[in-house]
Amino acid sequence: MASSSSSQSWIYDVFLSFRGEDTRKTYVDHLYNALVQNGIHTYKDDEALPRGETIGPALLKAIDESRIAVIIFSENYANSSWCLDEVTYIMERKDERGQIVMPIFYHVDPSEVRKQKGKYKEAFAQHELENNKRVEAWRKALKEAGNLAGWESKLVANGHESKGIKEIVNTISSRLFPVFNVNEDLIGIETRLQDLKSQLEIGSGGVRMVGIWGVGGGVAL
């Protein structure tokens, strides 16, 4: 049984799993910047990996320390045995530690991931030729991840990438910081709260002090 997420000590809010050759300088770069700008402490390997540290153990440790794992499934994600090991480990953490997993299907259909069709079928054909003993575990992990509720980039915000990323970041933020959910009738308050979150750098450690100045007789709760 997965342990309660509230009892865990998380270092990062979000861990990003992605195929660098596909998305590092494009979609993932924009997503990462949007997360950081919204005060969400995010692990992306080329931003947080200490120079000279072995990539495997460092990334596995970062997964363990992350509240949410966001997996960006792109066309060539399954070509990388490391990416497949990564998603397998993430799905294990989901079951064992109650980690939240949110997939983004970037220019691929969820069924391609779930059933290993198209480019994913080609990638697995190559893995099987190499007699890789991890294929069965990889297939199981992709099936489970492909069945999770997530986002298809072509459908979010009608395919507009910047608007779609904003929508995804807002959803992630609401999962991390439910205290910031506000009445939609309070016009303009959401933007102000997003700015406050960014300035507080929530999740980055340390202590912050906030002073509230109001009219005489006002009560802050």
Side-chain angles (χ1 to χ4, degrees), residues 37-152:
Q37 288 168 9
N38 280 270
I40 298 172
H41 193 33
T42 305
Y43 187 101
K44 181 164 77 79
D45 62 1
D46 60 350
E47 296 290 344
L49 188 65
R51 185 176 299 276
E53 188 167 341
T54 304
I55 189 169
L59 288 181
L60 296 178
K61 184 173 183 289
I63 292 170
D64 283 334
E65 296 172 340
S66 300
R67 177 73 184 93
I68 296 175
V70 175
I71 309 169
I72 298 92
F73 288 114
S74 55
E75 286 187 347
N76 298 304
Y77 186 93
N79 287 358
S80 167
S81 59
W82 170 250
C83 284
L84 293 171
D85 280 341
E86 198 170 87
V87 70
T88 301
Y89 191 75
I90 287 171
M91 297 311 294
E92 290 173 357
R93 298 298 92 183
K94 172 181 176 294
D95 293 337
E96 295 172 7
R97 302 190 69 209
Q99 187 177 60
I100 299 169
V101 180
M102 296 180 166
I104 298 174
F105 302 95
Y106 184 70
H107 295 169
V108 297
D109 191 274
S111 66
E112 293 181 54
V113 176
R114 187 169 57 251
K115 299 179 180 179
Q116 291 97 62
K117 300 192 301 183
K119 291 280 189 179
Y120 282 64
K121 181 179 180 180
E122 295 174 12
F124 270 88
Q126 182 61 41
H127 291 312
E128 287 171 342
L129 281 176
E130 296 168 356
N131 295 316
N132 200 307
K133 297 179 180 179
R134 293 170 290 177
V135 166
E136 185 176 346
W138 291 343
R139 287 190 182 279
K140 179 176 180 291
L142 288 179
K143 180 179 179 180
E144 292 175 355
N147 276 317
L148 294 174
W151 299 273
E152 291 184 62

Side-chain angles (χ1 to χ4, degrees), residues 182-192:
V182 297
N183 190 325
E184 294 181 357
D185 293 332
L186 300 176
I187 298 174
I189 191 65
E190 183 176 355
T191 301
R192 290 178 171 83

